[in-house]
Amino acid sequence: SDKMLKINARREKCVVITNYESLDQKMFLNHLMDWQPDIIVADEIHRIKNPKSKRANAAVKLGEYALYRIGLTGTAILNSPMDIFQQYLFLDQGASFGKSFFNFRRNYFYDANESWNNKQNHFPDFKPIPAKMDDSQ
């Protein structure tokens, strides 16, 4: 209920368990941000991997209000190493890879199809830059 969500978490002990779909509800999301949780545990964090997703961006925004953020998943990278950007943005608010997905992509990936002559039918194929994947960097 609205009354429960208005509890100040810094004074009252309270736990809210919800799903990612609830972040689509602006009023609910605003109540959670007003509440300012101490800890957010994002189970199956790979579900917020898409930087274009409103839900993923809402999760990152909510994460700004928490003191601690924890992500749980068994499959952090489902399709591409680029999947980790939004998850890290939620977890460390940009400390690891910055806040811009496009800068992240430019710094760590290259378009294997960039040399195509026909730019009209260009389909990007982003691959990791091998030197950037080295553990020593």
Side-chain angles (χ1 to χ4, degrees):
S1 78
D2 285 351
K3 186 174 184 178
M4 182 190 80
L5 289 175
K6 290 183 180 179
I7 294 172
N8 183 334
R10 306 269 192 268
R11 288 181 273 147
E12 301 287 335
K13 293 183 183 198
C14 181
V15 173
V16 173
I17 298 173
T18 189
N19 57 24
Y20 291 109
E21 289 77 15
S22 67
L23 299 179
D24 294 339
Q25 300 173 24
K26 189 140 180 89
M27 181 185 285
F28 183 73
L29 179 62
N30 287 336
H31 283 309
L32 288 175
M33 289 188 294
D34 289 343
W35 175 44
Q36 297 184 353
D38 289 331
I39 301 170
I40 297 176
V41 178
D43 190 20
E44 302 297 338
I45 193 172
H46 62 270
R47 293 194 55 206
I48 62 168
K49 68 182 171 77
N50 184 351
K52 295 178 185 174
S53 160
K54 289 181 184 179
R55 192 174 293 157
N57 286 310
V60 169
K61 183 72 174 164
L62 177 59
E64 293 174 7
Y65 293 85
L67 295 175
Y68 304 98
R69 292 160 301 280
I70 300 167
L72 307 173
T73 187
T75 52
I77 299 174
L78 293 172
N79 300 313
S80 160
M82 285 191 281
D83 290 350
I84 64 168
F85 173 78
Q86 193 76 2
Q87 297 172 64
Y88 267 83
L89 184 58
F90 168 79
L91 292 169
D92 69 12
Q93 301 297 294
S96 294
F97 300 115
K99 293 189 176 195
S100 167
F101 172 76
F102 298 104
N103 286 341
F104 166 74
R105 188 174 69 189
R106 186 174 36 256
N107 288 331
Y108 293 96
F109 298 86
Y110 71 97
D111 181 0
N113 291 338
E114 189 172 40
S115 63
W116 278 21
N117 291 330
N118 187 351
K119 297 289 184 186
Q120 186 174 346
N121 293 324
H122 177 250
F123 296 100
D125 181 19
F126 291 102
K127 304 280 187 189
I129 298 171
K132 298 284 186 157
M133 301 299 137
D134 184 1
D135 289 340
S136 66
Q137 292 187 8

